[in-house]
Amino acid sequence: VKYEWVSSLDGLISNQKQFTNYNLSVGTHMITLRAQDNEGQWSDYTQFFVVVNHRQGCMNPDANNYDSKNQCIIRSCKWP
């Protein structure tokens, strides 16, 4: 099984089933995902948007989200 995660801003970001990306650029990303089965057939594309904001007060420059306590969260993605 193969995976392909592509960001509209950063290009290929992973080919793993599950990953964490600490280096997404600031901005609105359209993430495109597809998977290839054991017979070589690729799935249809699935797309969703991720908005990466820079926020003052966050000590982690790689964070792309914040919880209710204003703590940094790093985006993790996985195949369903």
Side-chain angles (χ1 to χ4, degrees):
V1 177
K2 293 181 182 178
Y3 301 90
E4 183 181 83
W5 300 80
V6 179
S7 160
S8 59
L9 298 180
D10 294 329
L12 181 67
I13 54 176
S14 182
N15 54 15
Q16 303 296 312
K17 179 178 180 178
Q18 182 174 338
F19 70 98
T20 300
N21 187 307
Y22 296 97
N23 298 307
L24 288 177
S25 301
V26 171
T28 301
H29 298 254
M30 182 173 63
I31 305 296
T32 302
L33 165 66
R34 68 180 183 157
Q36 186 180 47
D37 65 21
N38 292 330
E39 297 176 1
Q41 297 295 318
W42 283 99
S43 68
D44 291 335
Y45 289 97
T46 298
Q47 296 175 323
F48 59 95
F49 289 90
V50 173
V51 178
V52 178
N53 297 310
H54 177 73
R55 235 174 115 170
Q56 290 182 333
C58 182
M59 300 307 291
N60 185 340
D62 298 322
N64 58 21
N65 205 348
Y66 305 87
D67 65 17
S68 61
K69 295 179 183 176
N70 206 30
Q71 300 208 355
C72 307
I73 299 171
I74 306 297
R75 167 132 341 248
S76 294
C77 300
K78 67 177 182 175
W79 180 255

